[in-house]
Amino acid sequence: MDTTYNPPSAVSSAEQPLQTILNGVGAVSKSLEGVSMWQVLATILVLSITYDQVKYIWNKGSIVGPAFKIPFMGPFMESVDPKFSEYLAKWNSGPLSCVSVFHKFVVIASTRDLARKVFNSPMYVNPCVVDVAKKILRPTNWVFLDGKAHVDYRKGLNGLFARKTVAQYLPAQEEIYDLYFKRWIELSKDGKPRQYMGEFRDINCHVSLRTFCGTYISDEAVADISENYYKITAALELVNFPIILPYTKTWYGKKCADFVLEEFSRCAKLSKEAMEAGKKPICTMDFWVKSMIESREYGKLTQEEKESFSGPKPMVIRWFSDEEIAMTIFTFLFASQDASSSASTWQFQILADRPDILAKVREEQLRVRGGDPYKRIDIDMVDQMVYTRAVVKEQLRYRPPVLMVPYEVKKSFNVTPEYRVPKGAMIIPTTYPALHDPEVYVDPETFNPDRWLEGGEAEAATKNWLVFGTGPHVCLGQHYAIMNFMSMIGKASLFLDWEHSPTELSEEIKVFATIFPKDDCYLTFKQRLPLEKASS
């Protein structure tokens, strides 16, 4: 018997795994003899649908939601024409509810306390807007940062909407009000009601662009952005196809966003040149760049010079690139444009339908101007508009522009003791139920500014005031936004008469990122001659 051991060669050793695989493939091929390609594809499809359903049911757990999902796409088609009534039914179905669209599992938090918990849980969630948002707003945008990176970035932005700063935005804004008020009077000379939702989008876009970019942005660019910005809004609807395909809404939105970012980068460069030359700041970009320069120059001082530094010490912030400034200003426009357009549309419709409230606004506007209706707006005047402020805050409560704020779950999140939202899901805190809570607001479906005056219930309900969110990502410009609404409607009340032509859709709510009257608000405007300028 030959007991000699011959070890396998290196070649044969290397060939063994390959041979094993080939043998396995051969075995599979043999077992599939007689099976058509269509049968294989059908098997894969059935297994995929089964996996999709099982995963949905597992993620759903005990919360409210469809027992089964439409394979893969879920309720995607409903997003083509989103209905407020369906959102309302979802909120009323339970504190937590869910849907699953394409690959994304979505949890809706409908109560005030659950919404606040999501807003205040940066360890577990991060703003995501919608899946395609990072491709349009850019993945490095500051709104998608969290932790220390977000805090440090935000530190450099807080002063841009401080009282002293926003006071300097008012003169340019009032000039834009004057321009559009004249335009609306001209549009209405034939006496025919027109849909004004588009006009309110234009005036707010114009106000935002001049506030943020000053005169660095050309009139042509303002017109182009104002005309095409709706494409960005359409691209960022709540439920969307996850891939940007040519000639779709997301594709057009991306092209428009590219133009806006390029224009804002150009403006940032011009702002830096102006501030380095010592010119007076006139817009948000200027105030931001000026604070960067002050921080940079302070950092060059010796310790002894810093200790003897007279006056308020500048905030220490880093230098931001033109692209970073552009992305940030773009998020300001994104946050303000649709919300402001929604608020303005409802304001003009609501006041036209409630002449008694409009009369009170007019009386206050004349009074805070000392009887001189032609006196230009300043910040001290705005501070005295107690009733106008109440009207604006009630409108934001009654018809909150932003209904939902999508967040992405960074790690599994026990939103309640009984339910854990899986990592990678989307969780959406809602604002509408908290702002219409009958246990907090008396007769919440009635428009009543008096609830915001002294003795009313609204100002004390701070936990329910979710119009601008709360927590680390609370809206930076909330006080600026309210001031803008007050200034616009206050000036309009003195110099315009307007009538609303109601339709059966006027009180129906259309959801287009934010909310609008479903008929787009039919109005006519006439010039109103206020009291003559008070004599000396």
Side-chain angles (χ1 to χ4, degrees):
M1 180 177 180
D2 186 3
T3 59
T4 304
Y5 171 68
N6 293 314
S9 68
V11 172
S12 63
S13 295
E15 288 177 344
Q16 280 182 355
L18 178 61
Q19 188 61 46
T20 301
I21 293 171
L22 292 174
N23 290 339
V25 171
V28 171
S29 299
K30 195 167 185 178
S31 66
L32 290 177
E33 287 180 3
V35 178
S36 70
M37 179 60 69
W38 291 113
Q39 289 173 310
V40 172
L41 293 176
T43 301
I44 293 172
L45 179 62
V46 169
L47 290 174
S48 299
I49 291 173
T50 302
Y51 172 76
D52 189 46
Q53 292 289 353
V54 169
K55 185 178 180 182
Y56 164 71
I57 294 169
W58 176 267
N59 286 338
K60 174 180 176 294
S62 60
I63 65 175
V64 177
F68 301 97
K69 67 172 286 190
I70 299 172
F72 308 121
M73 66 186 297
F76 170 69
M77 295 307 297
E78 294 176 13
S79 70
V80 175
D81 181 24
K83 294 179 173 58
F84 176 78
S85 59
E86 293 174 355
Y87 285 135
L88 190 60
K90 180 68 71 174
W91 302 331
N92 291 335
S93 68
L96 292 174
S97 57
C98 69
V99 294
S100 182
V101 185
F102 291 116
H103 65 293
K104 185 64 69 176
F105 182 71
V106 182
V107 176
I108 299 120
S110 302
T111 67
R112 177 198 71 183
D113 292 339
L114 286 176
R116 290 184 66 87
K117 183 171 183 177
V118 176
F119 282 130
N120 286 289
S121 298
M123 289 291 292
Y124 295 95
V125 300
N126 197 42
C128 65
V129 189
V130 292
D131 275 359
V132 78
K134 289 187 178 181
K135 298 173 184 176
I136 292 179
L137 299 177
R138 303 300 189 265
T140 55
N141 198 303
W142 78 286
V143 296
F144 302 124
L145 301 177
D146 58 6
K148 188 176 184 301
H150 178 80
V151 171
D152 288 347
Y153 209 116
R154 192 181 181 98
K155 183 173 68 172
L157 305 176
N158 286 327
L160 302 181
F161 298 103
R163 184 180 184 278
K164 182 180 178 181
T165 308
V166 298
Q168 298 181 68
Y169 300 150
L170 284 169
Q173 290 172 352
E174 189 169 12
E175 289 177 5
I176 297 170
Y177 304 154
D178 292 340
L179 179 68
Y180 277 86
F181 292 172
K182 290 178 182 177
R183 170 178 165 80
W184 298 345
I185 292 168
E186 287 296 317
L187 287 174
S188 297
K189 277 192 172 179
D190 60 4
K192 296 178 181 178
R194 283 180 169 78
Q195 293 170 309
Y196 267 80
M197 188 266 273
E199 286 293 317
F200 295 130
R201 288 180 65 85
D202 286 348
I203 188 174
N204 280 287
C205 191
H206 200 155
V207 166
S208 294
L209 290 171
R210 287 292 176 219
T211 300
F212 301 152
C213 304
T215 54
Y216 304 124
I217 188 166
S218 66
D219 290 338
E220 292 76 17
V222 168
D224 194 33
I225 294 171
S226 181
E227 180 181 353
N228 291 292
Y229 187 86
Y230 78 94
K231 295 176 182 176
I232 298 174
T233 303
L236 293 171
E237 60 192 354
L238 183 59
V239 179
N240 221 321
F241 192 70
I243 302 172
I244 296 179
L245 298 175
Y247 307 107
T248 61
K249 285 188 287 188
T250 51
W251 185 80
Y252 284 112
K254 175 69 163 52
K255 287 180 70 68
C256 184
D258 291 345
F259 170 78
V260 173
L261 285 167
E262 183 178 346
E263 184 65 23
F264 285 176
S265 292
R266 188 188 65 81
C267 293
K269 182 175 182 295
L270 294 175
S271 175
K272 285 180 177 178
E273 291 173 357
M275 293 304 99
E276 293 283 14
K279 293 185 178 179
K280 181 181 177 181
I282 58 171
C283 63
T284 305
M285 279 186 179
D286 283 351
F287 285 106
W288 190 8
V289 171
K290 187 171 184 290
S291 67
M292 293 182 217
I293 294 172
E294 290 172 348
S295 177
R296 183 192 66 194
E297 296 306 307
Y298 181 77
K300 293 178 180 178
L301 300 179
T302 65
Q303 187 60 36
E304 183 178 347
E305 289 172 326
K306 289 179 180 178
E307 290 174 358
S308 61
F309 189 86
S310 61
K313 295 181 180 179
M315 180 178 292
V316 178
I317 60 174
R318 68 176 177 85
W319 189 264
F320 292 85
S321 69
D322 295 349
E323 184 181 16
E324 286 177 316
I325 294 173
M327 287 192 295
T328 303
I329 296 298
F330 189 16
T331 62
F332 291 169
L333 180 63
F334 172 67
S336 66
Q337 172 58 14
D338 292 300
S340 297
S341 302
S342 169
S344 299
T345 306
W346 287 111
Q347 273 182 2
F348 277 89
Q349 175 170 306
I350 287 169
L351 288 181
D353 292 342
R354 294 163 177 81
D356 56 325
I357 294 176
L358 178 56
K360 291 181 181 179
V361 171
R362 281 176 170 150
E363 184 278 327
E364 179 178 74
Q365 291 299 314
L366 190 60
R367 176 163 40 82
V368 300
R369 288 169 169 79
D372 180 2
Y374 298 94
K375 184 178 180 181
R376 305 302 280 180
I377 298 170
D378 61 41
I379 194 69
D380 293 329
M381 190 187 299
V382 173
D383 288 343
Q384 298 174 53
M385 299 176 186
V386 176
Y387 188 75
T388 308
R389 184 183 299 273
V391 169
V392 168
K393 294 194 76 171
E394 177 64 354
Q395 181 272 307
L396 294 172
R397 182 206 66 82
Y398 181 65
R399 291 289 182 262
V402 179
L403 301 176
M404 298 170 285
V405 185
Y407 279 75
E408 185 174 15
V409 179
K410 299 187 292 185
K411 60 181 178 179
S412 296
F413 176 33
N414 276 104
V415 67
T416 68
E418 300 78 23
Y419 185 74
R420 190 177 184 87
V421 187
K423 177 182 177 181
M426 184 185 288
I427 186 165
I428 305 178
T430 60
T431 64
Y432 191 92
L435 294 163
H436 285 253
D437 186 347
E439 294 184 8
V440 175
Y441 301 105
V442 178
D443 195 8
E445 301 308 318
T446 297
F447 184 85
N448 178 21
D450 290 351
R451 73 174 83 245
W452 294 95
L453 302 178
E454 186 175 355
E457 78 276 9
E459 283 292 357
T462 54
K463 286 190 174 181
N464 285 67
W465 181 246
L466 296 178
V467 171
F468 297 98
T470 187
H473 290 274
V474 66
C475 178
L476 272 172
Q478 57 179 302
H479 300 300
Y480 156 76
I482 291 175
M483 182 199 71
N484 178 39
F485 301 147
M486 292 167 62
S487 302
M488 184 190 300
I489 204 69
K491 177 89 187 247
S493 73
L494 290 175
F495 290 90
L496 295 175
D497 279 319
W498 65 95
E499 292 183 7
H500 176 224
S501 298
T503 72
E504 60 182 11
L505 298 177
S506 294
E507 293 300 323
E508 295 290 320
I509 295 175
K510 173 173 69 175
V511 181
F512 182 66
T514 50
I515 64 172
F516 297 89
K518 212 163 191 177
D519 64 358
D520 288 346
C521 190
Y522 281 90
L523 299 172
T524 51
F525 287 88
K526 292 180 181 178
Q527 183 177 11
R528 180 179 186 271
L529 296 178
L531 295 175
E532 291 299 321
K533 184 174 181 178
S535 63
S536 58

